[in-house]
């Protein structure tokens, strides 16, 4: 595997899950694989789980790790071509990227959607510039349209906790005071559609996701109906995708908050969220603190998904 940006890069999911669980059973079995190799992690946006889990995963494999926060301690970077750089941005990404590539063997990039220009976001302009100009393997630590390391960890978690071969998994929109990207729901839907799960997406009218990510999922506008008989509830907010409301908050209806009444409609479902979570907006305290909340094991599996991906990229470099 040269690059990792979506579910199709990982290959057969059953093999990827098997490898991930083997890594989880012995995280240091391949600690020599990354010896004298350097991972450069580049953050255009804030991070807690992604930064810590990915750095830990690389260290488990024996790698050196460099972390660059573009917004602190680095020149402000221009990302668009053809602009006259007479503002506050001192360096262009087209020079910065190949320079970064000189100092490492692999690059992880975190760059969110700007939510102003859908075409720019959905072309994954920043991530693809790293792939094109760095000369090094690149993996996404969340991009404008997908968060594949999170979705891989979500899948690992579901496989660990499921009690039936074909569980019902529900992705539910929930209210949030700010406009958030569609990356996590897009990616989660993309990965779930590669499984044989009974997969349902529920959200208010106006929050339809890009059809390429919805795929074969059932879309249900009645949240209560969607929750009926569910085995896993994955709550997440996202802003509108469709024009003319792209990137906007068009609904903050608290009736969509995941609470105990709604969880009682399920088949004793597990509650999932990628974190950070706005308590009593996305989910009530009672639900997220319940024994059926698996948000912490889900977050812990971020280390495992990252290590599986980095190991695969390293294996190709070594070969």
């Amino acid at each position: 595997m040269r690059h990792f940006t979506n579910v199709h890069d990982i290959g057969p999911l059953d093999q990827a899950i098997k490898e991930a669980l083997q890594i989880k059973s012995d995280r240091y079995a391949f600690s020599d694989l990354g010896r004298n190799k350097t991972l450069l992690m580049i953050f255009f946006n804030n991070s807690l789980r992604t930064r810590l889990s990915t750095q830990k995963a690389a260290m488990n494999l024996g790698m050196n790790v460099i972390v660059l926060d573009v917004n602190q301690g680095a020149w402000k970077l221009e990302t668009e071509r053809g602009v006259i750089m007479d503002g506050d941005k001192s360096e262009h990404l087209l020079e910065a990227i190949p320079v970064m590539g000189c100092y490492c063997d692999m690059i992880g990039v975190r760059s969110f959607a700007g939510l102003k220009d859908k075409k720019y976001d959905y072309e994954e302009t920043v991530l693809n510039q790293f792939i094109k100009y760095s000369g090094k393997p690149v993996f996404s630590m969340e991009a404008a349209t997908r968060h594949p390391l999170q979705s891989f960890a979500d899948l690992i978690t579901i496989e660990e906790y499921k009690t039936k071969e074909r569980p019902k998994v529900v992705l539910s929109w929930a209210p949030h005071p700010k406009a958030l990207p569609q990356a996590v729901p897009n990616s989660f839907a993309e990965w779930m559609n590669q499984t044989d799960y009974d997969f349902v997406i529920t959200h208010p009218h106006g929050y339809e996701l890009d059809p390429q990510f919805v795929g074969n999922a059932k879309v249900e506008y009645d949240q209560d109906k969607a929750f009926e008989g569910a085995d896993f509830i994955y709550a997440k907010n996202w802003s509108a995708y469709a024009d003319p409301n792209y990137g906007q908050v068009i609904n903050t209806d608290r009736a969509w908050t995941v609470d105990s009444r709604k969880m009682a409609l399920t088949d004793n479902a597990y509650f999932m969220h990628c974190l950070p979570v706005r308590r009593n907006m996305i989910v009530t305290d009672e639900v997220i603190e319940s024994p059926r909340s698996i948000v912490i094991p889900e977050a812990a599996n971020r280390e495992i998904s990252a290590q599986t991906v980095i190991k695969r990229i390293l294996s190709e470099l070594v070969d």
Side-chain angles (χ1 to χ4, degrees), residues 271-286:
F271 175 80
M272 302 178 69
H273 189 280
C274 61
L275 303 182
V277 65
R278 298 268 184 148
R279 284 178 174 235
N280 302 306
M281 283 290 295
I282 300 289
V283 59
T284 62
D285 291 334
E286 187 177 11

Side-chain angles (χ1 to χ4, degrees), residues 15-316:
Q15 295 180 23
I17 292 166
K18 181 179 179 180
E19 185 175 357
L21 294 177
Q22 289 174 341
I23 286 171
K24 190 170 183 176
S25 69
D26 186 357
R27 299 165 202 238
Y28 305 103
F30 302 94
S31 58
D32 290 335
L33 190 61
R35 181 180 297 172
N36 298 327
K37 299 292 184 183
T38 299
L39 168 64
L40 173 58
M41 298 166 57
I42 301 168
F43 291 89
F44 289 86
N45 300 96
N46 294 339
S47 176
L48 189 152
R49 276 149 297 279
T50 297
R51 177 168 179 165
L52 295 178
S53 62
T54 308
Q55 186 167 356
K56 178 64 163 57
M59 292 168 65
N60 292 349
L61 293 165
M63 296 190 77
N64 303 312
V65 181
I66 302 172
V67 179
L68 176 65
D69 185 337
V70 172
N71 297 314
Q72 295 183 18
W75 300 113
K76 288 188 177 180
L77 297 176
E78 178 59 65
T79 60
E80 297 189 34
R81 302 182 69 102
V83 299
I84 298 173
M85 292 177 58
D86 58 355
D88 64 344
K89 296 177 180 177
S90 304
E91 185 164 7
H92 202 288
L93 208 58
L94 294 180
E95 284 79 59
I97 289 173
V99 168
M100 294 174 191
C102 295
Y103 306 140
C104 65
D105 300 282
M106 188 188 309
I107 300 176
V109 180
R110 184 174 178 88
S111 178
F112 293 174
L115 298 180
K116 301 296 184 184
D117 183 338
K118 182 161 71 174
K119 182 175 183 293
Y120 183 88
D121 289 341
Y122 273 71
E123 287 179 351
E124 291 291 5
T125 305
V126 173
L127 180 64
N128 284 327
Q129 285 182 358
F130 276 91
I131 292 172
K132 185 174 181 179
Y133 298 114
S134 70
K136 298 296 166 67
V138 173
F139 64 89
S140 170
M141 299 191 299
E142 186 172 356
T145 64
R146 295 176 174 92
H147 194 351
L149 287 177
Q150 178 65 55
S151 301
F152 188 13
D154 297 335
L155 177 61
I156 294 167
T157 307
I158 292 172
E159 285 294 305
E160 288 181 314
Y161 281 86
K162 72 179 186 180
T163 57
K164 60 184 70 167
E165 192 61 31
R166 189 170 185 263
K168 180 179 178 180
V169 179
V170 178
L171 169 63
S172 178
W173 180 92
H176 194 284
K178 296 173 59 179
L180 300 184
Q182 301 97 34
V184 169
N186 281 349
S187 194
F188 185 75
E190 186 172 58
W191 283 69
M192 292 300 102
N193 277 316
Q194 294 300 309
T195 72
D196 62 352
Y197 302 160
D198 178 7
F199 179 49
V200 179
I201 303 174
T202 185
H203 54 71
H205 288 279
Y207 279 101
E208 291 78 10
L209 295 169
D210 184 339
Q212 69 170 309
F213 297 111
V214 175
N216 296 322
K218 178 183 178 182
V219 176
E220 174 57 66
Y221 294 98
D222 184 330
Q223 189 186 35
D224 283 3
K225 187 174 180 180
F227 275 41
E228 291 176 0
D231 300 291
F232 294 89
I233 299 296
Y234 195 106
K236 184 70 179 78
N237 175 266
W238 61 89
S239 58
Y241 166 76
D243 295 327
N245 297 316
Y246 176 69
Q248 296 179 20
V249 175
I250 58 174
N251 189 331
T252 57
D253 185 359
R254 294 281 297 279
W256 281 78
T257 300
V258 178
D259 58 19
S260 296
R261 184 194 69 79
K262 291 172 186 171
M263 292 299 289
L265 299 171
T266 72
D267 188 11
N268 198 24
Y270 289 105
F271 175 80
M272 302 178 69
H273 189 280
C274 61
L275 303 182
V277 65
R278 298 268 184 148
R279 284 178 174 235
N280 302 306
M281 283 290 295
I282 300 289
V283 59
T284 62
D285 291 334
E286 187 177 11
V287 170
I288 198 169
E289 293 177 11
S290 77
R292 303 300 284 181
S293 172
I294 54 173
V295 297
I296 303 305
E298 179 185 1
N301 276 332
R302 289 295 308 279
E303 177 185 348
I304 306 306
S305 65
Q307 189 166 337
T308 306
V309 167
I310 295 170
K311 174 182 172 289
R312 287 192 172 193
I313 296 173
L314 277 174
S315 297
E316 184 168 308

